[in-house]
Amino acid sequence: MMATHCTSLVSVLGVFLVLTLYHNRITVSGQNIPAVALFTFGDSNFDAGNKQTLTQAHVAQGFWPYGKSRDDPNGKFSDGFIAPDFVAKFMGIPIEIPAALKPNVNVSRGASFAVADATLLGAPVESVSQFSVTNKLKNDISLLYSSGASKFVIQTLAPLGCLPIVRQDYNTGMDQCYEKLNDLAKQHNEKIGPMLNEMAKASPGFQFTVFDFYNVILRRTQRNLNFRFFVTNSSCCGIGTHNAYGCGLPNVHSKLCEYQRSYLFFDGRHNTEKAQEMFGNLLFGADPNVIQPMNVRELVVYPADEPMRESWMPTTSATF
C-alpha cells in the first residue's frame, strides 16, 4: 500500500508552464511585456477540465462544491480559479486558458494539456527510481523544445507528506506531516534545477525558471496565520479525520467548510482559489528565493534565443 501510494503521488511530476512569444511583438498595455501564449502540462493541479472531457463518467470536479467561489463547477480541482488562470491574467491574456481537449476551444493564446491522474511514467508502478522519473521529465521538456518551445516554468513537488490526504492515510494527527514522503519529494526537487542548468547550456535559446512550490506550501503549513489561513492541515471539503476524501462525489455526505478562503486546501490534495491566487502572484513577480533564476514576468521579456546569463542555485529560506 505504501509503495503504491508514494509512487502514485511522486510520479506525477510533470507540472510546468510553457510560454510562447509571438513574432509580431504586440505589447501588453501598461506592462511593456510582449503578447504571449501560455500552455500548461501536468496533472490535476493544472487540469482545466480535460479529465472531465476524456471520461464518460461524472467526475466530481464537474459538480458543486467545486467551483464554489465562482459558482461554476467546470472540471478544475479547486473552488474557483487555479494558478495558471492568474498567471495568464497577469500576462495580459484576455481569454481564459481552455482545456485543450474540449471541442471548439480558442487556443490562440494558450491551452491546458494537463490531465488529472496523468503521470510522467504513463501509469503508477510499484517502485520507481528518482533517476527514471527525472529523465522522463527531461525527455518531455526536450520534446517540447524540439517542437519550438523555448521558455519553460517548472514547479517543484509540494511537501507531499503534508497533504491532508496523506496525513489522513498515514494517521499522522493534525500537527505532523508524513516525513518519508516529504523526503522523497525533496530528493526529486533537488535534481530539477541542475538538470535544467545542463539543458540551458546544451540547448541554444532554452530558457527556464523553477518555482519552489515545496517551500511555498511548507511555509503556509508552518506559519499559517502569517498568510491569513486558519486551517492548513485538513481540507475544506471531504470526509475523514482530515476531510480528505469524497469531495463532490455522489452519495458521499462530505463536510463543507463555511468559509473556504480560510483554508489552504480545498480537497485532500488541491488548494483553494485564495491559495492559487497567491501562487499566481509568486510565479509572476516573486524574488529569487521563491522562483529563480527569474520570475515569469522576467522570463517573458527576456530576449528570445539569447543564452541565459544566470543559472539555478539552491534557495535559502524566504518569507513569501
Side-chain angles (χ1 to χ4, degrees):
M1 167 66 179
M2 176 180 167
T4 302
H5 189 64
C6 289
T7 302
S8 66
L9 286 171
V10 177
S11 60
V12 183
L13 304 176
V15 180
F16 55 95
L17 312 174
V18 178
L19 312 176
T20 300
L21 288 176
Y22 285 99
H23 294 294
N24 56 357
R25 301 289 292 181
I26 302 169
T27 57
V28 176
S29 176
Q31 296 195 62
N32 195 32
I33 63 175
V36 293
L38 174 65
F39 296 90
T40 69
F41 298 83
D43 64 351
S44 54
N45 287 287
F46 284 179
D47 191 341
N50 286 314
K51 183 71 171 184
Q52 187 177 25
T53 302
L54 277 176
T55 180
Q56 295 181 356
H58 294 302
V59 298
Q61 293 72 32
F63 297 91
W64 197 90
Y66 285 96
K68 177 178 183 288
S69 292
R70 299 284 168 176
D71 197 25
D72 181 24
N74 58 7
K76 295 178 181 178
F77 289 70
S78 183
D79 57 297
F81 289 157
I82 55 178
D85 294 319
F86 293 104
V87 173
K89 177 183 176 182
F90 303 148
M91 289 167 56
I93 296 176
I95 58 175
E96 186 174 345
I97 301 299
L101 301 183
K102 288 184 178 179
N104 304 317
V105 294
N106 180 358
V107 299
S108 63
R109 298 299 298 272
S112 168
F113 289 88
V115 181
D117 303 323
T119 71
L120 279 172
L121 303 176
V125 291
E126 287 301 316
S127 63
V128 62
S129 73
Q130 290 295 311
F131 179 80
S132 172
V133 173
T134 308
N135 265 4
K136 185 61 171 65
L137 176 59
K138 181 179 181 179
N139 290 340
D140 288 348
I141 295 172
S142 296
L143 178 62
L144 288 168
Y145 171 76
S146 66
S147 300
S150 60
K151 295 176 182 281
F152 296 85
V153 184
I154 313 298
Q155 178 170 297
T156 65
L157 277 177
L160 300 176
C162 297
L163 300 180
I165 194 170
V166 174
R167 294 183 194 243
Q168 183 165 312
D169 278 357
Y170 292 99
N171 300 312
T172 66
M174 288 297 182
D175 298 326
Q176 300 296 321
C177 297
Y178 187 66
E179 293 302 330
K180 289 184 179 180
L181 262 184
N182 282 356
D183 291 341
L184 202 57
K186 286 188 287 189
Q187 289 171 26
H188 165 77
N189 291 342
E190 67 187 13
K191 295 177 172 63
I192 298 301
M195 177 194 76
L196 294 168
N197 283 341
E198 291 178 7
M199 293 182 71
K201 291 177 181 177
S203 307
F206 181 91
Q207 300 169 1
F208 76 90
T209 194
V210 180
F211 179 47
D212 186 10
F213 193 53
Y214 183 97
N215 283 307
V216 165
I217 293 294
L218 195 64
R219 282 188 286 273
R220 283 157 179 77
T221 60
Q222 293 175 340
R223 295 186 282 114
N224 56 301
L225 295 181
N226 292 62
F227 300 95
R228 301 184 186 277
F229 288 112
F230 185 68
V231 181
T232 60
N233 52 13
S234 63
S235 312
C236 170
C237 177
I239 58 173
T241 56
H242 295 71
N243 297 334
Y245 283 101
C247 183
L249 291 176
N251 304 317
V252 175
H253 299 290
S254 300
K255 297 178 182 178
L256 182 64
C257 65
E258 292 183 1
Y259 187 52
Q260 62 273 18
R261 291 183 63 82
S262 64
Y263 281 71
L264 178 61
F265 293 95
F266 186 68
D267 66 14
R269 56 181 297 183
H270 304 100
N271 299 103
T272 57
E273 182 186 76
K274 175 185 174 180
Q276 302 275 6
E277 184 174 12
M278 287 184 175
F279 306 156
N281 275 287
L282 293 173
L283 278 159
F284 191 72
D287 74 12
N289 280 328
V290 181
I291 180 169
Q292 54 122 347
M294 60 187 105
N295 58 44
V296 170
R297 188 187 188 286
E298 293 165 338
L299 182 61
V300 168
V301 301
Y302 198 89
D305 300 323
E306 282 197 15
M308 293 181 62
R309 302 185 188 96
E310 298 177 275
S311 59
W312 177 91
M313 298 289 289
T315 58
T316 56
S317 60
T319 58
F320 293 97

